Amino acid sequence: MRLCAWYLYGEKHRGYALNPVANFHLQNGSVLWRINWMGDTSPRGIGASCGMMVNYRYFLEETASNSALYLGSRQVRASEQVLALVSQFQQNSKL
């Protein structure tokens, strides 16, 4: 889950999220909200994402500012759960 959080939050291509689904939602002003262990146990879900599923949350009053923040300065808004996983990854990673 820590690696998944880092992949969605920290891995970039030209400054934007490497994952195309993440990039879509973040461009539209969402918050990277939650990572669900075994949220998709279908054969496709296991093959594509080891069964993990991600929730993006849209706070309507914040979508414009979140989108501008992401598109302008490439900053990803994320929940405390995701940020905690990112922090754990960074502390334990040798990358």
Side-chain angles (χ1 to χ4, degrees), residues 12 33-34 56-57 65:
K12 307 284 195 221
W33 191 251
R34 185 171 54 213
Y56 296 92
R57 187 166 179 187
S65 61

Side-chain angles (χ1 to χ4, degrees), residues 18-35:
L18 186 60
N19 180 273
V21 174
N23 192 50
F24 170 82
H25 286 290
L26 295 168
Q27 283 184 27
N28 288 305
S30 73
V31 175
L32 180 52
W33 191 251
R34 185 171 54 213
I35 299 173

Side-chain angles (χ1 to χ4, degrees), residues 24-31 57-75 77:
F24 170 82
H25 286 290
L26 295 168
Q27 283 184 27
N28 288 305
S30 73
V31 175
R57 187 166 179 187
Y58 288 86
F59 295 96
L60 295 180
E61 64 280 354
E62 298 175 8
T63 55
S65 61
N66 289 348
S67 178
L69 185 68
Y70 181 67
L71 293 171
S73 59
R74 293 160 172 83
Q75 292 182 12
R77 291 279 323 271

Side-chain angles (χ1 to χ4, degrees), residues 1-57:
M1 293 212 14
R2 294 184 301 254
L3 181 60
C4 179
W6 177 253
Y7 170 68
L8 295 170
Y9 181 85
E11 290 298 318
K12 307 284 195 221
H13 175 70
R14 297 185 180 159
Y16 296 109
L18 186 60
N19 180 273
V21 174
N23 192 50
F24 170 82
H25 286 290
L26 295 168
Q27 283 184 27
N28 288 305
S30 73
V31 175
L32 180 52
W33 191 251
R34 185 171 54 213
I35 299 173
N36 304 291
W37 177 254
M38 299 308 281
D40 184 356
T41 58
S42 70
R44 182 174 181 210
I46 296 294
S49 62
C50 298
M52 286 185 248
M53 184 177 281
V54 179
N55 296 113
Y56 296 92
R57 187 166 179 187

